[in-house]
Amino acid sequence: MVKYILKRLGYLIFVLFLVSIVLFGIFKLVPGDPVAMMLEGQRLSMKPEAYELLYEQTRESFGLDQPLPVQYFKWLINTVQGDLGYSIQYKKPVIDVLQTPLMNTIQLNILTLILTFAITIPLGIATAVKKYSAFDNSVQVLSVVGYSIPSFIIGLVFIFLFSVLIPIFPISGSVTPGSDYTGMQAILDKLWYMALPVIVMTVGSLGGITRYVRGAMIEALQMDYIRTARAKGLKEKTVIYVHAFRNSLVPLVTIMTGWLVSLFGGSVVIESIFNWNGMGELLVTSLRQQDFAVAMAIQIFFVLLVLVGNLVMDLGYCLVDPRVKLD
Amino acid sequence: MKKKSNLFIIIKSLFLGSKHLDEVDVFKEDELQSPFRTIVKNFLENKIAMTGLVVFSFILFCSLILPFFYPLDTSFQDSTQQNVAPGLNILSVPSSLSKDVEQISVGSTYSFGIDNEGELYSWGQLSNSKLLDIPEDMGDLVQISTGLDHVLALSEDGIVYTWGNNRLGLGDIPSEVEELTNIAKVYAGQQLSFVITDDGYLYSWGNTNIINVRIPEEIQGKVVDVQTNTAAAVALTDEGTIHVLLNQDTPLNKIPEEIQGHIVDFALTSQNCIAVTDDGMVYVWGGLYPSVETIPDAVQGIAKDVAAGRNHVTVVTTEGTVYSWGRNVYGEANAPSITNAVSVSAGYYQNYVVLEDNSLVTWGLSGYIMGTDAYGRDVLNRLIAGGQMTILIGAIAVLIQSIIGILVGGFAGYYGGRIDNFLMRMAEVVGSIPFIPLAMILSAVIGSSISEDARIIMIMVILGVLSWPGLARLIRGQVLAEKQKEFVTAAKAMGLKERVIIFKHILPNVITVIIVSVTLSFASSMLTETSLSFLGFGVLEPRATWGNMLTGSQSSTVIQVFWWRWVFPALALGLSTISINLIGDGLRNAIDPKSNER
């Protein structure tokens, strides 16, 4: 077990290394001179000679005069130490800029995750048990519709329904402007703003995940041990929820990783629609403002998240299925 | 020979349905049960999948064929046609008016008219709800004039009324005008109102921020007509001279010297001024609008009455014929061949010609089926062009993705060992990068320094290069399974080259899986492209895609009031992806009926 985790961690670091080279390459492709952009404000207020000197000093302090491999390793070491650079847009270190959006995005996605599973697992089981019934067929058709429609269109429809037609939820934002709620009230306010994005993201995920749960469950229900369990005279409930469901979890864990990637990727669009102060919204605004240091840090976060997610899923495998040998 | 006839029957059955196969005798029928035919049969029997196929074929037809007939003019914008609701009633003149016309005045997407009894009529898309606040007890009207979003009316008693947009002083008739008793003509322009008295004095009020009207002293007492477009106001005097009522020098000031003093009628398009002289000649000057500047020879010498829309000109001749020329996207320059025309009212994209018997002939823009967007562009036109772009990007991205996926998956599966390990690790690295953020960064970093065409190609490549791992993994699994079968061993024993074994023996056996997977990733490529364009990191304005047509739709005004701007693109996109996914599901079920169990 420990050996396996170590092996996975080693692999994770290797992948991160590869990705970091790609990211550094993109970073270097960024047009324009970052130092000149940073000093833009001072340029007019200073004498040309003094500006020239400051420019050279800044350039040196950022190590931009050194060869690329050296720059890369410096960048890598800085990144590992948490120094992700300096945001031109916010005029402060990137790490400080990221904190609130990071929390917001994680909260948004975790709530979606919980809500999606709370709906799809019972639904998937129900459709698998009663497969080809009218109920199953209608869920099947709806789920094709659900996973075919892009989340931003679902978002538009839901804004129209629940913010404009029946104004229950706010159209956009992540906190009531001008409010300084504390404690319970702050949480409720946040949940109120979070409701619509979470509902939209959940609805967007429902179709695909329900189909997977149904498929895995149907396969499990065809196994010989289910026949054995029924032959033993176990209650149908026990057969479904204990024997079949437990076994259907294994393929589910596999698709979880892929879904997590698309969930966090998709939340970029949703956050942008709802002006939700998260990583996705920050990515969009920082790219529009040419604030590439922030964009890079967000990309690193996404990659890290997916790799850690992969690791957790691997570990989840051995939790749900003791037969899986980790080697 | 036998092979050919089988194929023929399959193709025939594709179009004529399986009933047609009754003619085939029993032995042939038996022979025909090839796996491919079973797949086609299964697919054709799947009603849901066939519905998907029909819907998608329709969308594909619209997006690939229609752009050749309705090309998108990316440079076109018109501030007078912003956010027009869907409808086809712009030219629907009330029947009681069309028999007995006194005067018609054309507004941006609506018109007002009065009949011989002084009764007022309105039709079209009233761009501003205030246009319906028609003052009561105006009495019989003798003249009407419509601007962009306001109306001026002159009653029998010589009183001026105004309604519609009343901001920026437009609604307040100046007291000096109210005191006038000898008003001869009223004229409403773009948020400007003019009044001309019968002794040639011109008065104006309204929004001077758009056009700062300056009436020269020397023309006061001589003015007989005034016209405006979105940038200028021009007056005609009783001496037959034209004066531009602006402080600054514009191309409109380049009035041909030789015609000054001979002008009898004139009109303004968005950029040009068109004048008719007393000898029936037509002159055009002003902006650079070649199609407006090419005057048909047939009108020269016989022109009598001229009127102009935004980008077209209509002339009535002394012989009673009508000629139109200029931009002709909405049919506004398709003049009918008539010989009894008396006068013409044209404006924006509409034409109304009054005939000798006081009846009306109309042509031009009858409305926008799907409305217009914030820049006054036809949503339907952009929807068709956007479909072409979205489908093209999706298709090429899928092509790139399939080539990489098939190569990587095929080699990894066939060779196994180290190559497999390396290729699959690569796939894992690429697959573990969240797609949309990376595509956004790449698009922002590289896209800012290249041309728009290169940018679109870059988006196709990004989409293709980043999304192959799923397909590669699938093919690898299939190849691994096929590799163990006897026919591969046989092929190896025959000493065939490995390349031949992979692509000629194994690949045909996994091709069905590839087709299904490619169909499904076509839908997801389209979705990703629209998401990127929606966020402003894909195809940019003014080029259209379904994604960037939806940009900004989340604001409450657009979502509720201008619903046509998001409903139609969203519907087109949703229908396409749903139908593609239904086709993909149907194909999967047709190829492997057992997969339905899963």
Side-chain angles (χ1 to χ4, degrees):
Chain A
M1 184 76 182
V2 176
K3 197 180 156 203
Y4 176 77
I5 296 177
L6 282 178
K7 201 176 161 187
R8 289 301 299 184
L9 276 176
Y11 171 66
L12 190 146
I13 288 165
F14 170 70
V15 171
L16 257 184
F17 174 71
L18 283 186
V19 173
S20 73
I21 292 180
V22 175
L23 287 180
F24 184 73
I26 298 172
F27 201 45
K28 282 285 131 190
L29 277 177
V30 171
D33 185 348
V35 180
M37 264 158 105
M38 219 176 112
L39 300 178
E40 188 61 42
Q42 281 129 291
R43 196 164 68 106
L44 295 173
S45 58
M46 286 169 79
K47 280 181 193 160
E49 302 88 52
Y51 173 74
E52 202 65 27
L53 196 68
L54 181 72
Y55 180 87
E56 284 306 321
Q57 274 172 357
T58 325
R59 205 172 137 79
E60 222 163 281
S61 72
F62 281 94
L64 289 171
D65 50 345
Q66 283 157 328
L68 277 182
V70 178
Q71 281 191 40
Y72 168 70
F73 280 108
K74 273 200 167 167
W75 175 77
L76 193 66
I77 290 164
N78 285 341
T79 308
V80 169
Q81 286 170 347
D83 175 11
L84 294 167
Y86 188 81
S87 161
I88 313 166
Q89 187 188 357
Y90 296 94
K91 307 267 182 255
K92 54 184 176 182
V94 170
I95 196 95
D96 297 340
V97 176
L98 289 184
Q99 271 157 9
T100 326
L102 182 66
M103 282 314 291
N104 280 340
T105 292
I106 289 178
Q107 284 163 359
L108 191 72
N109 282 285
I110 289 199
L111 212 62
T112 308
L113 207 82
I114 295 170
L115 202 61
T116 305
F117 276 118
I119 297 172
T120 52
I121 289 180
L123 198 62
I125 292 176
T127 49
V129 171
K130 289 178 186 163
K131 80 178 164 184
Y132 304 140
S133 64
F135 169 67
D136 177 36
N137 285 339
S138 42
V139 171
Q140 286 294 298
V141 172
L142 278 181
S143 66
V144 177
V145 175
Y147 79 71
S148 301
I149 297 179
S151 53
F152 61 92
I153 290 184
I154 300 178
L156 290 178
V157 173
F158 274 70
I159 292 177
F160 177 65
L161 291 180
F162 299 114
S163 295
V164 175
L165 217 57
I166 317 163
I168 314 173
F169 299 117
I171 285 185
S172 62
S174 42
V175 67
T176 307
S179 69
D180 52 346
Y181 297 133
T182 46
M184 201 58 205
Q185 216 175 359
I187 296 172
L188 282 178
D189 184 59
K190 192 161 200 177
L191 279 176
W192 186 52
Y193 274 89
M194 219 193 270
L196 213 47
V198 167
I199 292 172
V200 169
M201 282 169 73
T202 307
V203 169
S205 314
L206 281 185
I209 307 288
T210 307
R211 283 167 81 92
Y212 278 116
V213 177
R214 177 181 177 270
M217 198 60 192
I218 286 178
E219 193 152 328
L221 279 171
Q222 285 168 341
M223 292 295 168
D224 290 339
Y225 53 75
I226 296 295
R227 204 180 305 139
T228 314
R230 283 193 178 128
K232 278 199 301 190
L234 290 180
K235 278 184 208 153
E236 190 60 24
K237 263 190 184 162
T238 323
V239 174
I240 291 167
Y241 291 103
V242 179
H243 292 245
F245 179 61
R246 181 111 198 254
N247 282 288
S248 74
L249 279 177
V250 182
L252 269 187
V253 169
T254 326
I255 60 116
M256 271 288 292
T257 333
W259 178 52
L260 201 74
V261 179
S262 61
L263 186 66
F264 271 86
S267 79
V268 173
V269 184
I270 295 300
E271 285 175 12
S272 165
I273 288 185
F274 288 97
N275 263 333
W276 177 258
N277 180 19
M279 298 293 261
E281 164 79 354
L282 185 64
L283 179 65
V284 173
T285 48
S286 61
L287 283 177
R288 288 209 181 112
Q289 303 290 328
Q290 309 263 306
D291 193 356
F292 289 107
V294 175
M296 278 304 146
I298 294 172
Q299 183 64 34
I300 293 171
F301 157 77
F302 276 125
V303 171
L304 209 62
L305 179 106
V306 169
L307 291 175
V308 171
N310 264 330
L311 185 70
V312 172
M313 291 314 140
D314 279 335
L315 299 180
Y317 249 140
C318 40
L319 279 181
V320 297
D321 190 359
R323 288 171 302 183
V324 175
K325 276 198 188 125
L326 301 171
D327 51 18
Chain B
M1 196 58 207
K2 201 181 78 190
K3 225 177 181 178
K4 209 173 190 178
S5 68
N6 287 356
L7 193 70
F8 176 69
I9 290 169
I10 289 167
I11 289 168
K12 217 154 85 175
S13 69
L14 252 177
F15 292 102
L16 301 173
S18 48
K19 260 186 205 165
H20 192 74
L21 289 170
D22 289 348
E23 305 161 8
V24 182
D25 63 63
V26 184
F27 297 104
K28 231 174 180 179
E29 169 83 45
D30 222 32
E31 214 174 29
L32 278 176
Q33 286 292 353
S34 68
F36 180 64
R37 189 172 165 268
T38 321
I39 290 169
V40 172
K41 187 167 157 270
N42 283 345
F43 186 77
L44 290 175
E45 280 170 2
N46 186 341
K47 282 196 190 96
I48 296 177
M50 281 309 283
T51 316
L53 190 65
V54 169
V55 172
F56 185 65
S57 306
F58 173 72
I59 293 170
L60 203 63
F61 169 80
C62 291
S63 307
L64 297 185
I65 310 291
L66 292 184
F68 291 104
F69 298 103
Y70 304 104
L72 180 69
D73 178 2
T74 49
S75 62
F76 177 74
Q77 287 187 5
D78 191 341
S79 59
T80 65
Q81 304 289 308
Q82 288 167 0
N83 298 322
V84 179
L88 289 172
N89 56 355
I90 292 180
L91 291 177
S92 317
V93 185
S95 56
S96 47
L97 174 71
S98 57
K99 288 182 212 113
D100 197 17
V101 191
E102 166 69 29
Q103 193 218 340
I104 283 179
S105 184
V106 185
S108 52
T109 53
Y110 63 95
S111 298
F112 275 84
I114 39 181
D115 64 10
N116 283 339
E117 271 94 57
E119 195 76 36
L120 183 69
Y121 298 86
S122 74
W123 63 94
Q125 300 275 347
L126 298 168
S127 50
N128 186 333
S129 59
K130 290 178 188 163
L131 284 168
L132 285 171
D133 303 339
I134 302 168
E136 282 164 29
D137 54 271
M138 289 191 292
D140 288 347
L141 296 176
V142 290
Q143 221 195 76
I144 185 104
S145 180
T146 53
L148 180 72
D149 53 3
H150 80 292
V151 185
L152 280 182
L154 184 64
S155 77
E156 216 172 24
D157 313 324
I159 300 168
V160 177
Y161 296 92
T162 182
W163 68 94
N165 183 358
N166 55 4
R167 294 185 306 153
L168 297 158
L170 206 55
D172 316 316
I173 300 169
S175 53
E176 50 174 5
V177 173
E178 271 177 340
E179 286 160 11
L180 292 171
T181 53
N182 57 346
I183 295 173
K185 196 175 165 82
V186 288
Y187 180 83
Q190 166 138 347
Q191 301 189 2
L192 277 175
S193 294
F194 293 90
V195 157
I196 303 169
T197 60
D198 57 7
D199 52 359
Y201 279 87
L202 179 66
Y203 299 86
S204 83
W205 69 96
N207 180 2
T208 51
N209 299 326
I210 302 172
I211 306 166
N212 191 6
V213 177
R214 185 194 60 97
I215 304 166
E217 273 310 312
E218 67 266 24
I219 69 163
Q220 286 292 24
K222 301 174 191 166
V223 179
V224 289
D225 196 7
V226 65
Q227 301 274 338
T228 67
N229 61 15
T230 48
V234 176
L236 176 70
T237 65
D238 54 2
E239 293 162 350
T241 58
I242 274 183
H243 301 268
V244 180
L245 310 179
L246 289 175
N247 267 327
Q248 71 269 39
D249 202 31
T250 69
L252 285 180
N253 290 67
K254 297 193 180 69
I255 306 159
E257 278 305 321
E258 68 274 19
I259 65 167
Q260 284 286 36
H262 301 283
I263 298 163
V264 289
D265 194 12
F266 78 105
L268 291 174
T269 64
S270 63
Q271 294 182 24
N272 295 73
C273 187
I274 299 96
V276 172
T277 56
D278 46 13
D279 53 357
M281 300 294 282
V282 179
Y283 294 84
V284 177
W285 69 94
L288 293 163
Y289 214 99
S291 60
V292 170
E293 284 170 356
T294 48
I295 307 160
D297 292 334
V299 299
Q300 295 293 24
I302 51 169
K304 182 177 76 174
D305 190 13
V306 63
R310 291 287 291 158
N311 299 304
H312 79 284
V313 185
T314 299
V315 163
V316 172
T317 65
T318 47
E319 293 164 1
T321 52
V322 184
Y323 293 90
S324 281
W325 66 93
R327 188 176 185 268
N328 192 18
V329 171
Y330 302 126
E332 64 266 38
N334 293 339
S337 44
I338 41 177
T339 52
N340 53 348
V342 177
S343 69
V344 58
S345 299
Y348 301 91
Y349 300 96
Q350 312 159 48
N351 295 281
Y352 300 87
V353 166
V354 183
L355 303 181
E356 279 164 6
D357 57 353
N358 272 355
S359 65
L360 268 181
V361 173
T362 63
W363 71 94
L365 174 72
S366 56
Y368 303 93
I369 297 174
M370 295 185 181
T372 63
D373 66 6
Y375 298 99
R377 301 174 295 196
D378 188 357
V379 170
L380 177 63
N381 192 350
R382 288 182 73 73
L383 196 70
I384 292 169
Q388 186 188 28
M389 184 67 86
T390 302
I391 288 172
L392 191 72
I393 291 178
I396 292 182
V398 162
L399 195 72
I400 296 172
Q401 170 194 344
S402 316
I403 292 171
I404 303 177
I406 290 170
L407 286 179
V408 171
F411 280 114
Y414 186 79
Y415 290 110
R418 230 181 256 165
I419 296 178
D420 178 30
N421 214 355
F422 172 73
L423 289 176
M424 283 302 109
R425 288 292 87 80
M426 284 268 297
E428 215 166 306
V429 171
V430 176
S432 73
I433 302 173
F435 178 79
I436 290 183
L438 184 63
M440 280 165 66
I441 292 182
L442 280 176
S443 163
V445 170
I446 308 171
S448 56
S449 52
I450 53 180
S451 76
E452 188 58 23
D453 283 320
R455 216 185 130 80
I456 291 167
I457 294 169
M458 182 199 74
I459 290 159
M460 295 170 181
V461 173
I462 293 177
L463 283 172
V465 166
L466 290 182
S467 54
W468 56 268
L471 185 66
R473 224 170 284 146
L474 187 77
I475 291 172
R476 171 182 170 267
Q478 289 288 319
V479 171
L480 270 180
E482 293 292 326
K483 192 169 86 166
Q484 314 293 337
K485 295 190 178 161
E486 278 92 356
F487 67 88
V488 178
T489 322
K492 273 185 188 161
M494 282 168 71
L496 292 180
K497 277 182 198 156
E498 287 195 318
R499 196 165 35 110
V500 177
I501 298 178
I502 296 178
F503 290 105
K504 289 223 161 142
H505 291 254
I506 297 181
L507 201 62
N509 283 293
V510 298
I511 199 88
T512 45
V513 183
I514 294 175
I515 291 174
V516 173
S517 166
V518 163
T519 315
L520 296 177
S521 31
F522 180 40
S524 60
S525 291
M526 278 172 65
L527 288 191
T528 321
E529 183 276 325
T530 39
S531 299
L532 281 179
S533 299
F534 173 75
L535 291 176
F537 295 95
V539 179
L540 299 181
E541 294 265 357
R543 299 235 183 161
T545 78
W546 290 340
N548 70 20
M549 287 177 76
L550 290 165
T551 307
S553 306
Q554 68 265 39
S555 88
S556 58
T557 346
V558 176
I559 224 163
Q560 191 176 23
V561 184
F562 307 136
W563 54 269
W564 56 89
R565 277 171 50 188
W566 66 276
V567 166
F568 294 117
L571 215 59
L573 181 61
L575 276 180
S576 320
T577 47
I578 291 172
S579 55
I580 294 172
N581 281 335
L582 288 177
I583 295 170
D585 275 3
L587 276 178
R588 189 188 357 232
N589 291 346
I591 288 162
D592 178 14
K594 271 192 206 151
S595 69
N596 205 17
E597 308 279 315
R598 292 164 46 83

